[in-house]
Amino acid sequence: MLRIEELTVRFGAETVLDRVTLELPAGASLAVVGESGAGKTTLGLAVTGLTVGRLQGRILWGGTDLLTLPPEEFRRLRWNEIALVLQHGGDNLHPGLTIEQQVTEPMIEHDRHKPAAARERARRLLREVGLAPEKHRAFPHTLSGGERQQALIAMALANDPGLIILDEPTSGLDTVTRRDILALLHGLSGRCALLLLTHDLAAASALAGRTAVLYRGQVVEEGPSGKVLRGPRHPYTRGLLRAYPNMTTTKDLQGIPGRAHRTHGGHGGLHPHTHDYTHHPHPHGTHRHGPEADPATGDGRSRHRGCPFHPRCTQAVAPCPTTRPPLAGEEDGHRLACHRGGIVPLLQVRGISKRYGAVRALEQVTLTLYEGETLAVVGQSGSGKTTLANVIMGLTAPEAGEVWLEQEKVARRDRDFYRRVQMVFQDPAASISHRHTVLQAVAEPLLLHLGGRLQDHTDTVRRVLEEVQLPSDDLFLQRYPHHMSGGENQRVAIARALTLGPKLLVADEPTSALDASIQAKIFRLLLQLQEERGLALLLITHDLALARKVCDRLVVLQAGRVIETGPSDQITTSPVHPHTRTLVAAAPAFCSGCENK
Amino acid sequence: MHIDYQRAVTSSFQGRTGGIILGVVAVTALCGPALVGSPATPSPAVLQPPSAAYPLGTNDFGQDLFAQLVHGARLSLAVALGAGLLTVLTAALIGGAAGLARGWADTVLMRLTDAVLAMPAMVVIIVIAAYFQLGPAGLVLVITLFGWPGTARVVRAQTLTLRNKPHVLAARTFGAPGGYVLYRHILPDLAPILVVGFLQSARRAVFLEAGLAFLGIGDPTIVSWGAMIQGALRFFYLDAWLWWLLPPALAIAATILSFTLLGNILEALLDPRLREVRHA
């Protein structure tokens, strides 16, 4: 078995791996995932003794510390006990030798077999990995990428190693070949341990029992693959998953703000305060840190300090830039390195009940909305959706239940609450006072929170208006709601809700009055804000087709009760509750197979 | 909100007419008394037809009728203004409080409103005015006392509607304090109602003041349009009604008309939805 303890690898001043601790039992499989440059390859090279960097810590293989091993012994260990399949390894095959010769070579070199037996074994292995016998004597350049990958795996298996390290085994392969390689690797499970270094999250979920997420040389999350990849706890893992195209999730792809690597002298983190118009000091410290706040987190030395992800994290708090969070164990071995205990539940609604006379508008409604997440509350008219929004906003007093924001119970709704939580009302034109011009309407939250005069906020108002694709000239600023179209009013209402830079936007049918083209733009904007600064969206809608594209999770309401909740893809593809099935069936879809109609 | 009142009033026929009439009455009420002689000083020249000295002739005490008409304007407008403002203020406070507070306060205030509304106001006002020999100030109070419930009910109803308007709710979700919501979002939308209430009360006050004086109730020494009409009735057999009765009657009618016309204009003006689009 392999045990990596506090492994640190440095190249010059740069720390490529930083106190990585991982464990891989015999015959098990572990995927290490992360973006390019996270240190995955270095990890593989370190374990096989091929890295040129300075190493610290311990790599225990069956009780021996590989880092103390003399080079001679390491060479013996390599291929015999630990085999490495390099990234683009096909290019490293000897161009002048046939595949069979190259698979035979390590067996002979390590004196495992007599040449004849070795050739025999090589053929068997090549057949086993799916390479047709007529290709065994082919030269590498005549083979396809997939076939070369198969050959490399056969090579790795030659001496029956206890561990195979595969660096990006699926990169550059077409989907069918990739599937075959994955099936092949799957067949190896139990025969030897697999250490999979990949950015292919689907491969990790298919092959590895456990997955570790590496970010800039540090393990930020580690646990059973199913949990890590379907229920990520670390903001980075979620970002990685959101950016990963797959056939399971239905939400549009989203990136991670900022860059993993800094250019010289540049600020590699988030663009400071792109959407934070108010520059409020945040009492709970969930604001990001601008360039002035983290002068030197990017260079190699300061990597030791703080959480590596904090410049890109939308929920960073005070200790994040200075103290490194420990990779703390959770129940069932799901480990996480985050000062905030993973993605924070931003809004928690607990057991809310509300009646209007004999009508039960809400009955024991409980839901959780995480930081940077979109949660849709779907249901028919009269299912209690709007009442729920009003209860959250404090416009309707519930008979029972509590609302929690950022893990604190909301006792009273003061300005601090409303700066973090904003709402877009169902009827946008009516939600703007007919006495207010666009300027007055959009500036109202700013005036209430920052004071000053109307003119002081004109520039901010223009900026938000442009963001929601509205004109920002003086003529438009002087318009009244009744001079504008429904779509314009709706966007003014959205702009107004965004001026304070809220963490949570409660949107009650925010695009009901809009054409699909503008609706698409608005949601692109909202999802972009979500990507950039972790805006959480509580989307109240009856449009399941929309919800599935923009939401991470869905809550289905019927007659004031939550009847189903789960990931959008799961609810829209395999709904459990009969009413959910009705809603899904009624959602708009193009008729398939009737192109000739 | 920027409203060009002058322009709005002068740009319509109704507004111009109302404005001119009220302007004439107001200027008369303000400046007139200083220019004409005493309206109460008797003279030997009784029941004179109009002449250079007495443009509207004299009454049976030889008092100058033109001077009485001019002084009457001051009284009528003063009572109208006082009663109008006081009534609207009372109505806004009681109706607004009931609409905002809801609950038991609402119930108490509305039962009070119903109780006042149920009283035969005219009869009670006549009784009180006759018993206390009310002067103008007393009259303003009595008119207010019985005039507020109608407007208060409308104010309450409107407040109840307004407090649940999305834009009021939206203001609350920006963390606006109650006073701000009231001042910025509720009061402006109550304004048309208050203006209408003011003009109704003012109209009523002009009417009531004239009516009471006509009936001879109240302080008989006060010079007013109503008292002039009352005096003129006894000399109907003379041609005197032409210069004695008709001028105060027309003055009353014109003043009331001006309030009505301005009411229409101001109501339209305070509600931008009734305003014409002025964009180029």
Side-chain angles (χ1 to χ4, degrees):
Chain A
M1 78 167 242
L2 178 73
R3 212 182 131 71
I4 300 168
E5 285 176 2
E6 297 275 311
L7 177 67
T8 301
V9 179
R10 289 198 183 85
F11 291 114
E14 199 187 354
T15 308
V16 178
L17 287 180
D18 191 359
R19 282 169 284 170
V20 169
T21 298
L22 289 169
E23 200 178 276
L24 178 57
S29 54
L30 170 71
V32 176
V33 299
E35 289 168 290
S36 316
K40 303 189 296 287
T41 301
T42 306
L43 181 67
L45 293 176
V47 174
T48 46
L50 295 171
T51 179
V52 295
R54 286 177 293 123
L55 282 76
Q56 277 173 0
R58 300 205 295 170
I59 303 175
L60 296 171
W61 172 250
T64 333
D65 185 357
L66 298 183
L67 296 189
T68 59
L69 226 53
E72 271 314 301
E73 295 231 6
F74 218 138
R75 197 167 302 141
R76 195 194 54 75
L77 200 77
R78 205 154 48 223
W79 292 112
N80 282 334
E81 293 185 40
I82 300 175
L84 174 67
V85 177
L86 286 167
Q87 186 174 7
H88 308 301
D91 303 339
N92 299 336
L93 288 168
H94 195 294
L97 296 175
T98 65
I99 294 300
E100 197 183 283
Q101 283 170 322
Q102 299 196 46
V103 178
T104 314
E105 189 187 87
M107 289 187 262
I108 298 169
E109 182 162 328
H110 287 276
D111 292 331
R112 281 298 188 91
H113 298 276
K114 293 270 183 290
R119 257 193 303 282
E120 186 52 40
R121 182 173 159 76
R123 283 193 208 112
R124 207 178 63 238
L125 284 169
L126 286 170
R127 272 200 305 279
E128 215 175 293
V129 299
L131 201 64
E134 63 270 23
K135 304 229 166 138
H136 292 184
R137 306 225 168 173
F139 289 99
H141 67 271
T142 62
L143 297 181
S144 70
E147 286 162 341
R148 273 181 272 178
Q149 193 73 24
Q150 286 167 324
L152 283 168
I153 293 168
M155 250 167 98
L157 287 169
N159 290 350
D160 263 327
L163 167 68
I164 299 183
I165 298 170
L166 298 134
D167 192 2
E168 301 288 7
T170 55
S171 76
L173 302 183
D174 70 85
T175 49
V176 177
T177 313
R178 176 181 165 279
R179 186 197 60 196
D180 294 343
I181 294 289
L182 288 181
L184 164 65
L185 293 174
H186 192 73
L188 297 179
S189 59
R191 184 159 152 191
C192 61
L194 290 179
L195 179 60
L196 202 62
L197 311 168
T198 186
H199 65 259
D200 183 345
L201 302 177
S205 98
L207 286 180
R210 294 180 73 85
T211 295
V213 182
L214 201 61
Y215 182 75
R216 287 176 66 188
Q218 297 185 21
V219 175
V220 293
E221 187 169 5
E222 196 267 336
S225 298
K227 291 201 182 263
V228 172
L229 298 175
R230 279 302 264 168
R233 301 277 316 278
H234 197 280
Y236 176 67
T237 315
R238 181 177 67 183
L240 211 53
L241 284 161
R242 279 183 174 170
Y244 180 73
N246 63 86
M247 295 299 281
T248 313
T249 48
T250 53
K251 194 187 184 189
D252 283 340
L253 297 181
Q254 279 176 293
I256 303 173
R259 286 192 301 270
H261 289 275
R262 286 152 187 270
T263 50
H264 286 287
H267 180 251
L270 293 172
H271 232 273
H273 301 287
T274 318
H275 292 280
D276 187 358
Y277 307 110
T278 57
H279 296 268
H280 262 291
H282 198 287
H284 298 271
T286 52
H287 266 235
R288 296 193 316 269
H289 300 273
E292 66 285 353
D294 56 332
T297 40
D299 63 287
R301 259 158 309 174
S302 60
R303 242 189 218 199
H304 300 283
R305 294 172 50 230
C307 170
F309 188 60
H310 85 268
R312 302 172 78 184
C313 187
T314 54
Q315 56 171 32
V317 289
C320 295
T322 51
T323 318
R324 177 176 167 176
L327 188 64
E330 303 234 335
E331 74 285 1
D332 56 49
H334 193 162
R335 296 185 301 156
L336 178 74
C338 180
H339 282 300
R340 304 207 68 186
I343 302 159
V344 182
L346 188 66
L347 177 81
Q348 286 161 298
V349 170
R350 298 183 182 170
I352 295 277
S353 295
K354 173 73 187 171
R355 280 161 192 256
Y356 290 112
V359 181
R360 291 176 175 178
L362 294 173
E363 191 73 16
Q364 288 291 319
V365 171
T366 295
L367 56 86
T368 303
L369 171 60
Y370 289 92
E371 201 267 356
E373 184 188 53
T374 317
L375 176 68
V377 177
V378 295
Q380 286 180 284
S381 309
S383 56
K385 306 189 298 285
T386 297
T387 306
L388 179 64
N390 287 340
V391 166
I392 291 167
M393 293 309 290
L395 299 173
T396 300
E399 270 104 45
E402 294 169 353
V403 174
W404 289 59
L405 184 69
E406 294 193 273
Q407 290 157 304
E408 280 171 35
K409 187 180 168 183
V410 177
R412 64 194 184 89
R413 286 171 175 79
D414 46 16
R415 279 187 208 188
D416 181 48
F417 174 87
Y418 287 121
R419 208 190 55 254
R420 288 179 285 163
V421 185
Q422 278 293 299
M423 177 161 175
V424 175
F425 286 80
Q426 194 166 11
D427 183 350
S431 78
I432 303 165
S433 170
H434 60 95
R435 294 178 196 290
H436 282 179
T437 61
V438 170
L439 176 64
Q440 288 171 316
V442 179
E444 189 172 28
L446 294 167
L447 287 169
L448 279 164
H449 283 260
L450 303 178
R453 289 168 308 142
L454 190 61
Q455 301 90 289
D456 302 340
H457 302 292
T458 314
D459 291 340
T460 311
V461 170
R462 285 188 211 274
R463 201 160 62 230
V464 259
L465 288 177
E466 273 162 25
E467 281 206 341
V468 295
Q469 315 265 330
L470 281 174
S472 60
D473 52 285
D474 290 330
L475 196 66
F476 189 79
L477 288 183
Q478 296 310 319
R479 290 243 178 126
Y480 285 95
H482 51 280
H483 294 154
M484 293 188 290
S485 70
E488 286 173 323
N489 274 317
Q490 196 129 32
R491 279 175 284 166
V492 169
I494 291 171
R496 184 176 61 170
L498 292 176
T499 50
L500 292 175
K503 281 299 274 184
L504 167 62
L505 187 66
V506 178
D508 191 356
E509 304 278 7
T511 50
S512 55
L514 300 180
D515 290 326
S517 60
I518 298 180
Q519 168 173 287
K521 283 183 179 175
I522 293 286
F523 273 103
R524 289 233 48 80
L525 165 74
L526 293 177
L527 292 184
Q528 190 193 333
L529 290 179
Q530 177 164 81
E531 177 183 318
E532 282 170 8
R533 56 188 181 86
L535 176 73
L537 282 168
L538 187 69
L539 175 67
I540 289 177
T541 185
H542 59 262
D543 189 344
L544 211 53
L546 172 69
R548 144 181 198 277
K549 290 299 284 180
V550 300
C551 295
D552 299 280
R553 291 188 303 126
L554 291 180
V555 167
V556 186
L557 274 190
Q558 185 191 23
R561 285 173 185 276
V562 174
I563 54 166
E564 197 163 351
T565 175
S568 308
D569 52 89
Q570 192 181 313
I571 292 206
T572 50
T573 51
S574 47
V576 175
H577 195 280
H579 184 67
T580 315
R581 277 190 223 134
T582 312
L583 289 177
V584 171
F590 292 110
C591 163
S592 61
C594 49
E595 290 83 359
N596 298 328
K597 257 189 197 170
Chain B
M1 182 173 58
H2 179 77
I3 291 179
D4 190 346
Y5 283 90
Q6 193 191 345
R7 195 195 141 147
V9 169
T10 53
S11 64
S12 82
F13 176 73
Q14 281 193 43
R16 280 195 299 273
T17 316
I20 290 167
I21 297 173
L22 195 63
V24 168
V25 177
V27 168
T28 311
L30 276 174
C31 316
L35 303 175
V36 297
S38 159
T41 318
S43 75
V46 297
L47 296 174
Q48 291 291 310
S51 64
Y54 303 108
L56 288 180
T58 58
N59 66 5
D60 49 341
F61 293 107
Q63 290 160 329
D64 184 353
L65 283 174
F66 182 71
Q68 289 204 339
L69 191 71
V70 169
H71 280 264
R74 176 173 278 193
L75 179 78
S76 277
L77 274 200
V79 170
L81 198 70
L85 285 179
L86 209 56
T87 305
V88 160
L89 194 69
T90 316
L93 283 176
I94 292 178
L100 287 178
R102 299 195 286 191
W104 63 268
D106 182 25
T107 313
V108 169
L109 290 172
M110 281 304 103
R111 289 301 78 77
L112 179 69
T113 310
D114 291 339
V116 176
L117 214 54
M119 276 193 259
M122 197 64 181
V123 177
V124 181
I125 289 175
I126 289 173
V127 169
I128 294 175
Y131 185 81
F132 291 104
Q133 294 281 300
L134 290 179
L139 209 57
V140 165
L141 284 180
V142 172
I143 292 172
T144 302
L145 196 62
F146 291 93
W148 63 268
T151 309
R153 290 185 69 134
V154 182
V155 168
R156 172 184 173 268
Q158 182 72 1
T159 309
L160 281 177
T161 316
L162 287 175
R163 60 175 292 146
N164 285 320
K165 286 251 182 188
H167 72 85
V168 176
L169 298 180
R172 283 171 60 194
T173 67
F174 305 141
Y180 175 92
V181 174
L182 194 69
Y183 178 72
R184 288 284 305 203
H185 286 274
I186 294 189
L187 267 186
D189 274 2
L190 284 177
I193 284 175
L194 297 181
V195 168
V196 172
F198 170 80
L199 291 163
Q200 277 175 348
S201 307
R203 230 162 44 198
R204 239 163 75 95
V206 171
F207 201 78
L208 265 174
E209 184 275 324
L212 290 177
F214 171 72
L215 293 173
I217 297 163
D219 187 345
T221 62
I222 289 172
V223 175
S224 86
W225 291 341
M228 284 174 75
I229 295 173
Q230 191 215 12
L233 279 182
R234 280 176 287 129
F235 299 94
F236 222 85
Y237 52 91
L238 298 175
D239 276 346
W241 65 271
L242 260 176
W243 53 85
W244 190 351
L245 186 141
L246 212 52
L250 284 175
I252 292 169
T255 311
I256 290 176
L257 180 70
S258 72
F259 279 128
T260 310
L261 292 176
L262 287 178
N264 292 346
I265 290 301
L266 290 178
E267 194 180 351
L269 197 125
L270 284 163
D271 190 340
R273 279 172 301 190
L274 302 179
R275 226 187 294 165
E276 281 169 36
V277 182
R278 283 183 318 207
H279 290 250

